[in-house]
Amino acid sequence: VSEAPVIFSHSSARALTDVPRNVPDEVLRKVAANGGVVMVTFLPAYVSTAAAAERSARKLLQAEIAKLKDPGERARRTAELAARPRPPATLAEVADHVEYVQKLAGAEHVGIGGDFDGMTGAPVGLEDVSKYPYLFAELARRGWTDAELEQLAGKNVLRALRGAEATAIRRAVRWDGGWPAAVGGGGVHAGGGIGLGVGQGAVVDRLHRLPAMLRRARQGQRVDDTDHHPPATAEQGFQRVLAWACDG
């Protein structure tokens, strides 16, 4: 079970379009409890039942064509399949998925995961990023508030990312009887099972500064230059450091 908020970056609601990549109801409820986010994708086969059925049918036909021994017949069938019309997905169907996730998981747990760089066709009305306002207008028409639309537009996923960062820092502080083990002697370990890399500069910077700050807190000193009063107890000092590391 993940301690950090989980992000489904390009998935929709399986109850509306039954494909494995989409999120089932029981998982949507767990995402809400976990503080995570489901970012609804625009891929037609994941928001439209008709498009999903066509995708499955095409895979079967492609497998049949691949078995043909006659190159001419194989080319003819391939051309026929390429010319076969695809049922369109629509902006309204995408909005349906967004609303479904919102109603089951909550407005704090839904986001946008368009995936324009990973699809060959887009829903009608959402052909490119310039059409995002039309999706938001549709949701507003359905009764979404400005605050809910702001959450959808990015606040939810930013909150989840901050939560994941805070979890990484907390897990990097290893405990021994309520205090990090032997502070100053290896009690704080960066990368202990959480895969911190140079790309996560904010986390790494905080982890590098933690040992000295914890040492000062344990000695009853100010934890850093912005801490104007020494902690009354070592435990109070540690709580200041941990609050800084996770929220600063």
Side-chain angles (χ1 to χ4, degrees):
V1 178
S2 174
E3 296 177 29
V6 172
I7 296 173
F8 289 82
S9 62
H10 300 85
S11 296
S12 299
R14 191 178 297 183
L16 300 186
T17 306
D18 189 8
V19 294
R21 177 161 156 178
N22 286 347
V23 185
D25 287 0
E26 63 269 23
V27 177
L28 284 175
R29 296 187 183 96
K30 290 180 179 180
V31 168
N34 165 264
V37 179
V38 174
M39 302 177 69
V40 173
T41 185
F42 298 171
L43 282 159
Y46 300 127
V47 295
S48 164
T49 298
E54 174 64 15
R55 184 171 182 263
S56 297
R58 283 175 174 271
K59 285 185 175 181
L60 292 175
L61 289 171
Q62 286 167 347
E64 289 179 10
I65 292 169
K67 295 177 182 177
L68 294 173
K69 298 186 184 302
D70 183 346
E73 178 67 7
R74 194 162 58 243
R76 184 186 67 80
R77 292 280 303 276
T78 299
E80 286 180 353
L81 183 58
R84 174 170 164 156
R86 299 173 185 263
T90 65
L91 180 153
E93 288 175 312
V94 173
D96 290 342
H97 279 266
V98 173
E99 286 219 291
Y100 190 91
V101 174
Q102 183 236 28
K103 288 174 180 175
L104 202 63
E108 299 83 6
H109 305 289
V110 61
I112 297 295
D115 205 12
F116 283 115
D117 65 343
M119 66 175 89
T120 55
V124 175
L126 282 172
E127 291 82 4
D128 55 53
V129 294
S130 71
K131 302 297 179 69
Y132 275 128
Y134 293 91
L135 175 61
F136 282 74
E138 171 64 15
L139 293 169
R141 187 186 67 77
R142 297 184 185 197
W144 282 54
T145 66
D146 288 350
E148 289 171 335
L149 292 173
E150 288 177 2
Q151 290 175 313
L152 174 71
K155 285 187 174 181
N156 286 341
V157 72
L158 290 174
R159 184 206 68 245
L161 290 170
R162 286 193 295 268
E165 183 179 87
T167 301
I169 292 172
R170 289 179 187 278
R171 291 192 61 183
V173 179
R174 296 183 177 176
W175 292 82
D176 180 16
W179 269 90
V183 172
V188 177
H189 305 276
I194 58 177
L196 292 175
V198 294
Q200 294 164 293
V203 180
V204 173
D205 177 66
R206 293 180 194 180
L207 288 173
H208 285 170
R209 294 173 64 184
L210 273 175
M213 294 178 73
L214 288 167
R215 190 181 307 112
R216 288 196 293 270
R218 193 172 193 181
Q219 294 170 353
Q221 302 172 359
R222 293 186 304 153
V223 296
D224 70 0
D225 293 339
T226 65
D227 188 9
H228 301 298
H229 304 286
T233 65
E235 176 63 23
Q236 184 186 86
F238 175 70
Q239 292 302 325
R240 289 185 192 177
V241 175
L242 194 57
W244 166 85
C246 295
D247 301 320

